[in-house]
Every structure is written in structure tokens, then in C-alpha cells.
């Protein structure tokens, strides 16, 4: 499964999360966030980190200013820009002429001003797009590419040419598409990256395009694909096998529309499946952590089904699988989960028996050993609670606490003695000014100390959470690292009349770990409280120095 043998060609990782990835709907990163991600990509072993489009975006310009103060340790920072505008021959182009003369033309000048070791210039490779979108001649477009690349090379930049719409252009007019690559390579581009800009190319088209391109130019060929046909990672791998030596991709597959190729999966596949060493073994083991870190920073719930790094990526539900993996680890996983920093998980469900319970506790590294009798009692308890609305399959932290609490001698780190919540809807002048206000007062006991705190929130659960945190922080100051990542409410057995219950699932993080807890009750606030209590108790017991 793992291989340390180097592949036939070295492959250079190029991350474009901070430029192309930000095209994703709902994704927004502050300059601070971008800096944090750039540093983590550097630590991961990515060779090129594209930071943004300084010519079109003031926030990106600020990012490059800030990065100059503390440069990356290993990766090359890349500024992105487009080729010069159309207009007459290259020598008389006002943009290029001005840059040559005085170092001041809008787009290219801002790429230069970013003072990065490398720069990526995007230009068109589709003859049709040149005519209809740029509204210029095919010759002029070739001159635009050559002039712009040459200018940046003259100024000492390593230049990557992003051949926009390459595969669509290649399908329509292969000679012209190749001519654009030659124009860039002839002007000194170190790499020509072939872009599947619309993300709809099929694997065979990608392979053909890469093969033709590697034959046509002396410089390196890169690949940049979007995921509109759900083929981005596959197309990237095939491009590498066809001779591409630079892969452009984004963290977690972020990007506009359906996203870019996912750099997490690309790295794992290159390394574990194709035997091409792109990062060290230790760096590979941090993939899961980096993926979750990025999601958190972006305020997006991590996708549990994300290949390699999702929490479900190596999870087993069926009793048969569990029986097999307790006998032989790896029976139902395609790679060793630890290679990418993930873990195999056994899901507890109503089907679970004593053996599942024992297997799960072992997987969770809880350091608990239960006798057969204790394990049977715990399995019964799980079954009983699941009938009452709890669900431990996706709440392994609550399950572990259930196991701990079942053992003699377990002392909970804190206890909630009492809570009171007051809610108020304050009418305003207009509809938009109506506002929900809630205040929670809680009594929390830690050891011998009973503390009483109050806090406000925009709803009962947030007020309760704030009050409990405030009380616990006095005894567990590190708890301020813990925050809720996701909060889900489900109505269960809606036909059950008075027995109708609410289930709350909470996902929490301290920036290093992710864990899930569950609460169920006829009342949503109580269900939330139970899940919150487990979330905090689990962290304190596991990592809070208890
Ligand atoms: Zn793109």
C-alpha cells in the first residue's frame, strides 16, 4: 500500500486554494486566515502556494505585503495575474511599454509589486475565446502571452503560464492551443499549466492533451482541472501518468461551481497509490489535521465522507465488518488510515453487541478495559438509550463517556446543579429589528466549589453555552480553545405524541481534535445541555489535564 520508491517523474505540488479556491460560493477568508493557510501548506510540503490576484483585489495585495515580512520557509509564494491587454503589436503596447519604461502598468505591475519568487500568468488557449471574448486576433493573443511572460522573466520571476480553456481549445483547434503553449515556453515560462477551466473534460481528452503538450514544449507541463464532471482528481492523476509534472489543486476540493481538484486526495493518491513521493511520511500523516484545520478556519463543517480524511472514511457499521476487522485490521480499508492521519472507527448502533462495544473502545484509544459482563451491560445501556432517542453512531465521545461513567470510581470533572433560562422577544420598529434575547443562569459544581454564572445569548442554547463556559473557565482555563463546530437538531418519532423527542448532535473542536456528542430529550434545551455537557466533559477528561 505505501511506497517510498520515487516515481518516474518528480511531481511538484501547486496549491491554488488562496486564489482559485476562493471562487467557492460561501467561502471567505480574512487576510489572517490566508496567512495561516499559507503557512500550513508550507509545512505540508507544498512547493508552490498561490496567494491571490494582487492586481484585482486589495485584500490580496495586503496579503502579499504581509507575507513579505515573514516569508514562507520552503514553498515559493506565487502571485497571479493575466497577460497584457490586446492592442497593437507588443512593442507599442501601452501596458508592456509602460512597465518596461517605468515599472508601472496596472496588472503586470501589481504582479511584480508582490515581489514573489514565482508568478502565474493566465492567458487564453482557445482560438474561439480569443476571437469572441478577447475580441482580438489569434496572432495578437500569442504576442500578448509572449510579451507578458518575457517581461516577468526579465524581472527575475519564475513564470508559470496558465493555459485557460486549454482542453476545450485543444478539442476545437489543437494547433492553436499548442501554439499558445509554445509562445509561453519560447518566452521563458518554466511551466505551462493546462487548464480544464470548465471542468467537463473526460479522462481520455486530458491524457491526449497532456501527451501532445509534453511533445510540443521543452518546459514542464502542469495540470489544473475543475470538478464539474466529478473527474478532477482522476484527471489530475492521469495527467501525471501522461507526463505532467506540476499539479494545481485546492484544499478540500474548494473552488467555484463544483470545485477544483482536491489537493488532499491528489497527494494521498500520488503517494500511496502511484508511489510518487511528493511529501514526507510525517507530512502525509498531517493531511487529516490540515483538512479539518482549513474547514474550521473557513467556518465550514468538515465533510464526513471526504475520501482519506473524512470521519467516515474508515468507519464501519455492519456487524460482519466489525467481526472481520477485530480479527484482521485493514480487511475493509483501502489504505492504512494512519498513513494520512485518520483512524479506523467502529460505529455503535442498535445492532451492536458486546464485541462491537469492546472494538469501539479499543479503536478510540480510550484506555478503558471492560470485562465481558461490563461490556454486555454497556451494550444494553446503549440499546436502551437509543430507544429513547440517543444515537451513538455519530457521537463516539458521548459513547466513551457512557463507558467511563459505567465504571466504578469515575468522577465527573464537573456537575450542573441547576439552570434557569429567560427568553424575551423584543419588538422593534420594523420587522428586522425584532430581536430574540435570552439569558441563562447556571450553577456548576467543580469539586467542592459551586459557582453561579449568567450570560446572554441570541437564543436559549447559546446563552446556556456561554454561561456554562464562563463557569468552567475558572477551573479549566484551556477550555477557551474548545468551540462548537456544528450543531444539529433532529425531531424523532414525530408520531409519538407526548413522547416525541428531540435529538441534538454537537461537533466540537479545540483546533487539534474533533469530537461528537449527543443529547436527547422531550425538550430541545435539555437535549442541547446534555450534548454540551458531554462535549466539555469529554475534552476535560481526554485533554484537559484530568
Ligand atoms: Zn481554475
Amino acid at each position: 500500500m505505501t511506497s517510498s520508491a520515487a516515481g518516474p517523474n518528480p511531481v511538484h505540488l501547486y496549491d491554488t486554494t488562496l486564489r482559485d479556491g476562493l471562487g467557492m460560493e460561501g467561502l471567505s477568508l480574512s487576510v489572517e486566515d490566508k496567512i495561516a493557510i499559507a503557512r500550513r501548506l508550507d509545512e505540508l510540503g507544498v512547493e508552490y502556494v498561490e496567494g491571490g490576484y494582487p492586481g484585482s483585489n486589495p485584500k490580496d495585495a495586503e496579503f502579499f505585503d504581509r507575507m513579505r515580512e515573514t516569508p514562507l520557509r520552503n514553498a515559493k509564494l506565487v502571485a497571479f495575474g493575466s497577460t497584457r491587454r490586446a492592442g497593437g503589436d507588443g512593442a507599442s503596447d501601452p501596458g508592456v511599454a509602460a512597465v518596461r519604461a517605468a515599472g508601472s502598468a496596472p496588472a503586470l505591475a501589481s504582479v511584480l509589486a508582490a515581489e514573489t519568487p514565482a508568478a502565474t500568468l493566465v492567458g487564453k488557449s482557445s482560438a474561439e475565446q480569443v476571437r469572441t471574448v478577447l475580441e482580438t486576433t489569434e496572432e495578437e493573443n500569442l504576442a500578448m502571452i509572449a510579451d507578458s511572460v518575457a517581461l516577468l522573466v526579465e524581472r527575475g520571476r519564475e513564470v508559470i503560464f496558465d493555459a485557460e480553456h486549454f482542453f476545450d481549445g485543444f478539442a476545437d483547434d489543437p494547433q492553436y492551443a499548442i501554439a499558445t503553449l509554445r509562445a509561453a515556453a519560447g518566452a521563458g515560462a518554466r511551466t505551462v499549466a493546462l487548464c480544464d477551466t470548465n471542468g467537463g473534460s473526460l479522462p481520455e481528452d486530458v491524457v491526449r492533451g497532456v501527451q501532445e503538450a509534453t511533445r510540443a514544449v521543452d518546459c514542464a507541463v502542469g495540470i489544473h482541472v475543475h470538478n464539474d464532471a466529478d473527474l478532477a482528481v482522476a484527471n489530475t492523476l492521469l495527467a501525471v501518468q501522461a507526463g505532467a509534472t506540476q499539479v494545481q489543486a485546492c484544499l478540500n476540493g474548494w473552488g467555484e461551481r463544483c470545485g477544483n481538484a482536491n489537493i488532499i486526495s491528489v497527494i494521498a493518491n500520488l503517494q500511496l497509490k502511484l508511489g510518487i513521493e511528493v511529501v514526507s511520511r510525517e507530512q502525509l500523516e498531517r493531511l487529516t489535521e490540515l483538512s479539518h484545520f482549513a474547514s474550521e478556519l473557513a467556518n465550514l463543517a468538515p465533510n464526513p465522507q471526504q475520501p482519506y480524511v473524512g470521519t467516515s472514511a474508515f468507519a464501519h457499521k455492519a456487524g460482519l465488518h466489525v467481526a472481520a476487522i477485530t480479527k484482521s485490521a485493514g480487511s475493509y480499508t483501502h489504505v492504512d488510515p494512519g498513513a494520512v492521519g485518520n483512524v479506523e472507527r467502529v460505529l455503535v448502533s442498535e445492532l451492536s453487541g458486546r464485541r462491537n462495544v469492546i472494538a469501539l473502545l479499543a479503536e478510540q484509544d480510550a484506555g478503558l478495559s471492560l470485562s465481558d459482563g461490563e461490556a454486555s451491560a454497556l451494550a444494553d445501556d446503549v440499546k436502551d438509550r437509543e430507544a429513547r432517542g440517543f444515537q451513538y453512531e455519530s457521537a463516539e465521545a458521548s459513547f466513551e463517556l457512557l463507558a467511563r461513567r459505567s465504571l466504578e470510581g469515575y468522577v465527573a470533572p464537573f456537575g450542573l446543579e441547576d439552570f434557569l433560562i429567560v427568553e424575551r422577544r423584543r419588538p422593534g420598529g420594523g420587522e428586522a429589528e425584532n430581536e430574540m434575547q435570552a439569558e441563562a443562569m447556571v450553577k456548576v459544581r467543580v469539586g467542592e466549589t459551586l459557582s453561579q454564572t449568567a450570560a446572554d445569548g441570541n437564543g436559549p442554547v447559546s446563552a446556556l453555552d456561554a454561561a456554562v463556559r464562563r463557569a468552567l473557565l475558572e477551573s479549566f482555563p484551556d477550555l477557551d480553545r474548545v468551540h462548537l463546530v456544528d450543531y444539529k437538531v433532529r425531531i424523532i418519532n414525530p408520531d409519538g405524541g407526548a413522547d416525541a423527542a428531540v435529538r441534538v448532535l454537537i461537533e466540537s473542536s479545540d483546533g487539534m481534535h474533533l469530537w461528537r456528542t449527543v443529547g436527547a430529550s422531550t425538550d430541545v434545551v435539555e437535549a442541547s445541555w446534555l450534548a454540551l455537557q458531554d462535549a466539555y466533559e469529554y475534552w476535560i477528561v481526554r485533554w484537559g489535564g484530568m
Side-chain angles (χ1 to χ4, degrees), residues 16 19-20 162 195-197 224-226 248 256 260:
T16 178
R19 198 267 308 171
D20 221 9
D162 258 12
C195 301
D196 186 23
T197 307
H224 174 121
V225 288
H226 284 255
Q248 300 195 355
E256 65 180 322
N260 285 56

Side-chain angles (χ1 to χ4, degrees), residues 469-482:
R469 281 179 72 91
R470 190 169 289 173
L472 292 178
L473 279 170
E474 292 167 11
S475 305
F476 308 100
D478 287 348
L479 200 76
D480 68 351
R481 293 211 301 271
V482 175

Side-chain angles (χ1 to χ4, degrees), residues 5 48 51 57 68 82 88 104-105 133 137 162 190 210 227 243 256 328 355 359 364 424 459 461 466 477 489 495 506:
Y48 297 88
N57 184 337
R68 273 201 300 279
S82 36
S104 63
V133 179
T137 63
D162 258 12
R190 185 88 62 88
V210 172
N227 199 33
E256 65 180 322
S328 163
R355 191 158 51 183
Q364 285 184 210
R424 178 177 180 214
V461 176
V489 181
D495 300 330
I506 287 179

Side-chain angles (χ1 to χ4, degrees), residues 40-58:
R40 297 294 281 257
L41 288 166
D42 189 21
E43 286 166 23
L44 178 69
V46 167
E47 198 169 329
Y48 297 88
V49 175
E50 193 180 279
Y53 202 158
S56 79
N57 184 337

Side-chain angles (χ1 to χ4, degrees), residues 15-68:
D15 182 278
T16 178
T17 305
L18 303 180
R19 198 267 308 171
D20 221 9
L22 286 179
M24 186 169 86
E25 189 175 356
L27 177 61
S28 153
L29 295 175
S30 67
V31 172
E32 289 302 329
D33 295 338
K34 290 185 68 170
I35 292 170
I37 286 182
R39 303 223 173 284
R40 297 294 281 257
L41 288 166
D42 189 21
E43 286 166 23
L44 178 69
V46 167
E47 198 169 329
Y48 297 88
V49 175
E50 193 180 279
Y53 202 158
S56 79
N57 184 337
K59 202 157 108 180
D60 286 1
E62 186 193 339
F63 167 81
F64 286 109
D65 287 344
R66 297 274 306 276
M67 289 303 289
R68 273 201 300 279

